[in-house]
Amino acid sequence: MEKKKIQFQLSFTEFIYNGCFAAANFLSVFLEAIGFSAGQMGLISSLISGMGIISQPTWGVISDRVRSVKRCFMLCMVGTAVCAAMVSFLAQGMGFWAYALIAALLAMCFFFHPSNLMMELWLVRVNENPLLKIPYGTVRSWASIGYAFFNLLFVPIFQAISVKNIYFFLAGFAGISFFLAGRIPAESEGESRTREKQRLRDMPFRSILNYWVAGYIIFEVLYQIPFSWRVTYMVFALKEFGADISLYGALMFLAGICEVPMLLLIKRFSVRSGLARPLLLSVLLLSLEHGLYAFGHSLAILFAAQLLRGFSYALYVACRHQYVYKLAPEGMEGSTQAIVNAVSATVNFLAAAAGGFLLEALGTRSFFALLCGMQLFSGVFFLASHCVGVKILHRPLKDGQCRLL
């Protein structure tokens, strides 16, 4: 009974929490609505990535030190709710308030970005908890359902009211998520919560950067640059296809709902193939999606691309956190994942500012063709890193599910 109760509570929390992501997904539409250009949007995306460099290691270390991702998630939700409300209040005026709005947006990201890391670690720990063994994909599928549902819900909402109000919704979802998380028993975190708190100076940070973690970090960087550019500039792909901006939420709904079957099957899939092979497949599917934006012309192609987006992202998110969790030294899972995210955010910080100007210089079609090539290259590197590690350097992997070859 306790297992079913915790599974239901986590699933419902994930459903509501992903209303935050559905709202945050309208960032480029929101910025365009209040008058920012593509170049300015790129600069803001760069600053947001820069905030991830600071926030994710901070919260990752805190979670390992206090031994509770649940508490960290709840604190992140409070901060997100307050800052998101400020963003929407400031968006009503703009002009003189533009810099204050950007500051509030960055403050929100300091709390919001790490909250996803905390939630994902929470689900991995529930999956690894021998007393619960609640499948990661089963709970995570409710995140995709929530993301899809709220994206679809926003379509009629923003036909009736201005998209400038989007962050009021984000604040509301964050507040509800805080209260839902607080009702989930602490036992859901497994034995990690019963370990003694670590002193900062005693935490074995040097053990994190072994060959396999370092190799994955490089792959993550190569993967995330084209992925983040696609998220930021998707609105321009819609215009290239002649689609109305109101279609954006419907496309996000389709992509989100297509994640669900893959997430439900990932447990069985990963038992047979491990975690590395689905990650590589995710790269191939994502590359094909970018290729459709570059060379497709009909709305049918645009919708087909969302199927690929849903399948590829489900594979990536379902395997990524478990893969890094298994590579991490014991007791340093949160810090390892945070370092992976922070390095990725550092590169995105450097690349995001150039994305808008690159799109303006190349044009939308050529820009997405470039993303297709970049995404394929990340997959080639991932495969090469395993070939070198296993066949040449003979570096052991402590968990067989992390093997690609």
Side-chain angles (χ1 to χ4, degrees):
M1 183 63 185
E2 187 69 14
K3 174 181 176 178
K4 291 183 178 180
K5 179 182 177 182
I6 290 175
Q7 182 172 334
F8 172 78
Q9 290 175 313
L10 277 169
S11 298
F12 190 56
T13 303
E14 271 280 32
F15 178 82
I16 297 297
Y17 171 56
N18 271 265
C20 296
F21 282 98
N25 201 45
F26 283 78
L27 174 64
S28 57
V29 181
F30 170 78
L31 292 175
E32 187 184 45
I34 57 181
F36 287 101
S37 67
Q40 290 171 326
M41 288 160 60
L43 289 171
I44 293 171
S45 294
S46 178
L47 291 173
I48 288 173
S49 296
M51 183 56 70
I53 300 170
I54 300 169
S55 64
Q56 298 201 64
T58 300
W59 286 97
V61 171
I62 290 172
S63 70
D64 283 336
R65 188 172 185 276
V66 304
R67 301 296 192 187
S68 178
V69 291
K70 172 187 170 179
R71 292 177 191 171
C72 291
F73 174 77
M74 292 174 67
L75 288 171
C76 286
M77 286 293 92
V78 171
T80 297
V82 172
C83 296
M86 289 177 62
V87 170
S88 265
F89 277 121
L90 292 167
Q92 310 308 313
M94 271 301 289
F96 175 78
W97 299 107
Y99 292 109
L101 182 146
I102 294 172
L105 190 61
L106 293 176
M108 185 200 78
C109 291
F110 178 80
F111 296 101
F112 184 51
H113 283 182
S115 69
N116 186 50
L117 171 62
M118 297 300 107
M119 176 55 79
E120 295 292 346
L121 285 171
W122 196 354
L123 296 187
V124 172
R125 287 181 178 177
V126 167
N127 184 75
E128 297 291 325
N129 185 344
L131 298 177
L132 295 176
K133 280 292 181 181
I134 297 172
Y136 174 95
T138 302
V139 177
R140 184 57 179 74
S141 65
W142 284 98
S144 299
I145 294 170
Y147 178 80
F149 172 79
F150 289 115
N151 267 297
L152 188 63
L153 184 64
F154 283 143
V155 174
I157 287 175
F158 293 124
Q159 289 175 342
I161 64 174
S162 173
V163 75
K164 292 181 180 181
N165 298 300
I166 185 67
Y167 285 93
F168 283 131
F169 289 93
L170 198 155
F173 290 129
I176 297 170
S177 298
F178 166 80
F179 288 108
L180 291 174
R183 297 181 63 84
I184 300 175
E187 287 76 15
S188 62
E189 294 192 78
E191 65 178 20
S192 62
R193 72 182 184 90
T194 62
R195 296 176 187 164
E196 292 184 7
K197 294 180 180 180
Q198 301 187 85
R199 292 186 299 179
L200 192 61
R201 65 184 181 183
D202 294 334
M203 295 174 72
F205 292 107
R206 291 183 181 179
S207 65
I208 291 175
L209 289 180
N210 56 55
Y211 173 84
W212 293 108
V213 174
Y216 183 80
I217 286 174
I218 297 173
F219 162 71
E220 182 78 11
V221 167
L222 296 173
Y223 182 102
Q224 281 293 330
I225 293 174
F227 181 85
S228 63
W229 277 352
R230 190 282 311 276
V231 171
T232 303
Y233 302 109
M234 176 69 181
V235 63
F236 294 96
L238 263 67
K239 290 182 177 180
E240 193 70 26
F241 277 78
D244 189 89
I245 199 67
S246 63
L247 194 62
Y248 188 83
L251 292 172
M252 295 305 100
F253 165 79
L254 180 59
I257 210 68
C258 286
E259 295 176 13
V260 176
M262 193 63 74
L263 286 168
L264 293 175
L265 292 171
I266 196 63
K267 180 74 173 179
R268 186 177 301 173
F269 191 20
S270 63
V271 167
R272 294 180 179 180
S273 64
L275 296 169
R277 292 185 183 92
L279 279 173
L280 186 59
L281 179 58
S282 169
V283 173
L284 298 176
L285 293 176
L286 203 58
S287 301
L288 182 55
E289 180 202 350
H290 290 149
L292 292 180
Y293 296 140
F295 304 108
H297 294 281
S298 68
L299 286 180
I301 293 294
L302 190 60
F303 278 95
Q306 305 318 303
L307 301 180
L308 293 173
R309 177 179 183 171
F311 293 147
S312 64
Y313 188 68
L315 286 171
Y316 168 73
V317 77
C319 297
R320 172 188 191 263
H321 296 282
Q322 295 183 77
Y323 184 80
V324 175
Y325 188 91
K326 291 179 181 297
L327 293 180
E330 187 176 353
M332 297 295 290
E333 294 86 359
S335 298
T336 303
Q337 186 67 74
I339 288 173
V340 170
N341 290 1
V343 173
S344 177
T346 301
V347 176
N348 285 342
F349 170 71
L350 299 173
F357 299 110
L358 191 61
L359 185 147
E360 291 174 343
L362 294 177
T364 302
R365 299 284 184 178
S366 297
F367 178 75
F368 279 98
L370 174 65
L371 299 193
C372 177
M374 293 172 68
Q375 205 78 67
L376 279 173
F377 180 74
S378 71
V380 171
F381 175 85
F382 188 63
L383 178 60
S385 70
H386 275 259
C387 290
V388 171
V390 174
K391 303 295 185 181
I392 299 175
L393 299 179
H394 304 290
R395 296 294 175 90
L397 280 161
K398 67 177 184 180
D399 193 299
Q401 281 204 310
C402 296
R403 293 182 65 91
L404 180 60
L405 303 172

